[in-house]
């Protein structure tokens, strides 16, 4: 009779050999072929996610007679923000499931299948299928989102010099999908019908899942997944995870049956939860006996960077609601007499990042040790985000309350948002990996996702104050506050640099 321990050991050895073979492969532009698989998956996932998000608030606010849901614009904006908060909160759960239960490959696969099913339901013209589909997309994205980049990292050994270049190729896939999604799904949704746009997102996600499965033999992380599955026990963390998933499903069910007042109350609850989670996570770190004195000292400057992340994303995430409504109802969407769907502006951030990403990377390399400190970079990205809203405020002020904005105002706004995203997200993520206490190293991205959820939770409340008549004031106040915080962060960079003992 075989020794179970010996059998498991043999399996681990085989999986480790598979991983090494994958990591030594150079068949895709000098990189492992698995990079092409993940590149394709990310194109289609971003295509479906951002294509669907580009029309979601517009669909909720459109009249029932036109195939929409008939909500007021403020309620529609709040729902979209609350949905975003749930996505990032469940991303924390998705990372835990991959790390503790089934490994990254299966978590990404199940996430992709659930997302595709969600988009299929969204393509069915019925209120129930809309809410059910949205719940599936939230759950699936929570599983997939935090783990795809981990799959990319698994393709390379820790000392492989191709790693950074591989991530650059992978991130170009993100931007290609982010560009195409609003263009195609946005046009279908606005010109033919909302559910055609949702259907396009479904086709994209199905294509992504199919090519992910077909390319699975070229992916690494097999040994780690085998060990995770072998060591899994249904402990308290497992049942807590099941409870969180059940809560998300129940929340989606409540959206189906609640009247507008009830929906507002549920959105408020989601906002409160999104505020509690990052605060609790930081307090647990600060109070943990596993955290050293030096690491504890890092938490204050790190918290200031997280505030910048939240502030910037308050601007960025409104591309799906308030900016979307401004583009639809208060902007001349034409170029040399040729009209285009208002959702196409959302693709501009991807264009900016595709063009400027290599330029920025080259700039940091050229500057070397003379490049700005990470706190200054985060502050600069925050200023770009605030400036985007100030541009819209200026356009609304110059144009007058009832007049239509020239398209150039939104074009400049989205250019600033793209620049801000490029500078802040990469620098902030790098700071997260460097400043987090070593005892919480595996939870660093959980804090990042919690901060993103907080942005959406706060936004779910702020968007209720948006009105076309006060557009200049609405965008101006937010833009000024965010710019002020970015300038403040850059001003105190010398102090932060002294406190950030783990940042080089």
């Amino acid at each position: 009779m075989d020794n179970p321990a010996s059998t498991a050991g043999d399996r681990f050895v085989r999986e480790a050999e598979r991983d090494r073979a994958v990591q030594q492969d150079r068949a895709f532009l000098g990189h492992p072929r698995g990079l092409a698989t993940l590149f394709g998956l990310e194109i289609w996932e971003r295509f479906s996610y951002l294509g669907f998000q580009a029309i979601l608030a517009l669909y909720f606010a459109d009249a029932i007679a036109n195939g929409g849901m008939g909500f007021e614009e403020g309620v529609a904006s709040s729902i979209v923000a609350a949905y975003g908060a749930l996505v990032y909160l469940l991303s924390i759960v998705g990372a835990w499931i991959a790390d503790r239960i089934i490994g990254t490959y299966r978590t990404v696969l199940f996430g992709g299948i659930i997302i595709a099913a969600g988009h299929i339901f969204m393509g069915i013209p019925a209120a129930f299928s809309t809410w059910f589909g949205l719940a599936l997309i939230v759950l699936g994205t929570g599983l997939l989102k935090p783990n795809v980049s981990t799959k990319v990292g698994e393709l390379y050994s820790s000392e492989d010099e191709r790693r950074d270049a591989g991530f650059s190729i992978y991130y170009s896939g993100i931007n290609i999908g982010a560009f195409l999604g609003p263009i195609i799904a946005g046009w279908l949704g606005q010109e033919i019908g909302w559910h055609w746009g949702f259907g396009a997102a479904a086709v994209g996600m199905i294509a992504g899942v199919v090519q992910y499965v077909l390319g699975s033999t070229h992916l690494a992380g097999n040994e780690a997944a085998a060990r995770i599955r072998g060591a899994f026990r249904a402990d308290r963390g497992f049942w807590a995870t099941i409870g969180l998933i059940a809560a998300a499903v129940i929340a989606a069910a409540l959206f189906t049956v609640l009247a507008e007042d009830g929906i507002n109350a549920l959105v408020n609850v989601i906002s409160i939860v999104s505020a509690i989670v990052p605060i609790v996570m930081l307090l647990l770190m600060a109070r943990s006996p596993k955290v050293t004195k030096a690491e504890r000292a890092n938490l204050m400057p790190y918290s200031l960077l997280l505030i910048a992340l939240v502030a910037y994303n308050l601007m960025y995430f409104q591309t799906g609601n308030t900016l979307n409504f401004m583009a639809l109802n208060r902007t001349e969407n034409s170029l040399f007499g040729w009209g285009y769907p208002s959702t196409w502006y959302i693709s501009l951030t991807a264009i900016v990042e595709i063009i400027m990403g290599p330029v920025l990377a080259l700039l940091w390399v050229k500057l070397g040790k003379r490049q700005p400190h990470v706190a200054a970079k985060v502050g600069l990205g925050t200023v770009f985000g605030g400036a985007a809203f100030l541009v819209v405020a200026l356009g609304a002020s110059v144009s007058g309350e009832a007049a239509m904005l020239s398209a150039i105002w939104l074009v400049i706004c989205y250019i600033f948002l793209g620049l801000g995203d490029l500078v802040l997200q990469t620098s902030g993520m790098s700071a997260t990996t460097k400043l987090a206490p070593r005892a919480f190293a595996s939870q660093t991205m959980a804090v990042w996702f919690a901060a993103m959820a907080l942005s959406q939770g706060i936004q779910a409340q702020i968007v209720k104050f948006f009105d076309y008549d006060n557009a200049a004031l609405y965008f101006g106040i937010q833009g000024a506050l965010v710019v002020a915080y970015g300038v403040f962060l850059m001003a105190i960079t010398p102090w932060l640099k002294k406190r950030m003992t783990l940042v080089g």
Side-chain angles (χ1 to χ4, degrees):
M1 186 175 180
D2 292 337
N3 185 328
S6 175
T7 302
D10 291 343
R11 184 171 74 253
F12 296 152
V13 169
R14 289 194 302 270
E15 299 295 4
E17 290 174 350
R18 285 182 58 195
D19 289 343
R20 283 192 291 272
V22 166
Q23 292 170 350
Q24 293 167 3
D25 182 25
R26 294 179 176 270
F28 176 63
L29 302 175
H31 292 266
R33 278 171 288 187
L35 184 60
T37 298
L38 298 172
F39 175 83
L41 174 65
E42 196 60 24
I43 286 179
W44 288 116
E45 191 276 329
R46 287 293 89 184
F47 170 90
S48 65
Y49 181 84
L50 290 173
F52 145 81
Q53 193 173 45
I55 59 177
L56 185 59
L58 306 185
Y59 163 67
F60 277 129
D62 199 12
I64 295 175
N66 296 331
M69 295 288 283
F71 288 109
E72 294 180 1
E73 287 185 2
V75 176
S77 293
S78 290
I79 293 171
V80 171
Y83 143 79
L86 286 175
V87 165
Y88 282 103
L89 288 173
L90 283 182
S91 292
I92 300 171
V93 177
W96 189 90
I97 288 173
D99 286 343
R100 302 290 183 87
I101 302 178
I102 56 176
T104 53
Y105 173 76
R106 292 186 182 183
T107 307
V108 169
L109 175 61
F110 295 154
I113 292 171
I114 293 170
I115 292 171
H119 285 304
I120 291 171
F121 274 99
M122 290 288 293
I124 300 172
F128 169 77
S129 64
T130 292
W131 297 117
F132 188 67
L134 196 60
L136 291 175
I137 293 169
V138 167
L139 176 58
T141 307
L143 293 173
L144 184 146
K145 189 177 185 66
N147 294 306
V148 183
S149 57
T150 303
K151 294 299 302 174
V152 176
E154 291 171 348
L155 295 173
Y156 305 93
S157 63
S158 58
E159 65 275 3
D160 195 328
E161 294 180 353
R162 299 175 297 166
R163 175 184 288 265
D164 288 350
F167 270 98
S168 295
I169 294 172
Y170 164 72
Y171 280 118
S172 69
I174 291 177
N175 287 320
I176 292 171
F179 168 72
L180 293 175
I183 294 290
I184 297 175
W187 182 84
L188 287 170
Q190 291 190 277
E191 300 299 324
I192 300 180
W194 302 118
H195 298 284
W196 283 85
F198 297 139
V203 171
M205 198 62 239
I206 291 169
V209 171
V210 168
Q211 66 90 43
Y212 179 67
V213 173
L214 292 177
S216 61
T217 56
H218 304 304
L219 300 175
N222 301 293
E223 181 192 7
R227 291 187 182 277
I228 288 168
R229 293 195 298 271
F232 167 69
R233 299 294 181 272
D235 56 11
R236 285 185 299 176
F238 170 76
W239 293 113
T241 300
I242 296 298
L244 287 171
I245 293 173
V249 174
I250 291 170
L254 289 174
F255 273 109
T256 306
V257 299
L258 289 175
E260 191 166 299
D261 288 343
I263 287 176
N264 280 325
L266 186 55
V267 167
N268 293 341
V269 170
I270 293 172
S271 292
I272 292 170
V273 172
S274 71
I276 291 172
V277 170
I279 294 172
V280 169
M281 294 182 76
L282 287 172
L283 287 176
L284 288 174
M285 286 186 184
R287 295 170 64 87
S288 174
K290 298 178 181 179
V291 175
T292 68
K293 183 178 179 180
E295 291 173 335
R296 192 169 287 109
N298 276 327
L299 292 179
M300 173 57 76
Y302 179 50
S303 297
L304 294 176
L305 297 187
L306 285 180
I307 292 172
L309 173 70
V310 171
Y312 168 79
N313 280 305
L314 281 175
M315 315 290 100
Y316 185 81
F317 287 140
Q318 289 187 58
T319 56
N321 41 51
T322 57
L323 285 175
N324 216 355
F325 286 122
M326 281 293 291
L328 177 67
N329 297 316
R330 286 293 188 273
T331 305
E332 289 284 356
N333 300 312
S334 61
L335 183 66
F336 305 117
W338 172 69
Y340 50 84
S342 61
T343 49
W344 282 14
Y345 291 105
I346 298 173
S347 292
L348 286 174
T349 56
I351 295 175
V352 170
E353 295 188 42
I354 290 170
I355 295 172
M356 294 303 298
V359 174
L360 190 66
L362 180 62
L363 176 63
W364 297 150
V365 170
K366 292 282 286 184
L367 288 175
K369 293 182 178 180
R370 293 179 291 114
Q371 66 181 284
H373 185 263
V374 65
K377 292 179 183 177
V378 171
L380 178 61
T382 306
V383 169
F384 280 140
F389 265 37
L390 290 179
V391 168
V392 179
L394 180 60
S397 179
V398 169
S399 303
E401 291 183 358
M404 303 290 280
L405 271 70
S406 167
I408 191 63
W409 296 108
L410 281 189
V411 169
I412 296 173
C413 166
Y414 277 88
I415 288 174
F416 274 124
L417 286 176
L419 290 172
D421 194 55
L422 197 58
V423 175
L424 184 144
Q425 298 286 2
T426 53
S427 301
M429 202 172 293
S430 174
T432 295
T433 60
K434 292 178 180 179
L435 291 174
R438 298 304 92 189
F440 290 84
S442 62
Q443 300 177 41
T444 54
M445 291 315 300
V447 178
W448 185 264
F449 288 133
M452 302 285 266
L454 176 57
S455 292
Q456 298 273 33
I458 295 173
Q459 184 201 152
Q461 304 304 314
I462 291 176
V463 294
K464 296 176 183 179
F465 298 100
F466 172 70
D467 185 81
Y468 297 111
D469 292 338
N470 72 357
L473 192 63
Y474 176 86
F475 291 109
I477 291 175
Q478 292 181 73
L481 289 174
V482 172
V483 166
Y485 188 78
V487 171
F488 164 75
L489 203 58
M490 289 190 287
I492 65 169
T493 292
W495 177 82
L496 290 172
K497 188 175 182 179
K498 293 177 182 178
R499 295 291 298 263
M500 293 181 183
T501 56
L502 296 185
V503 175

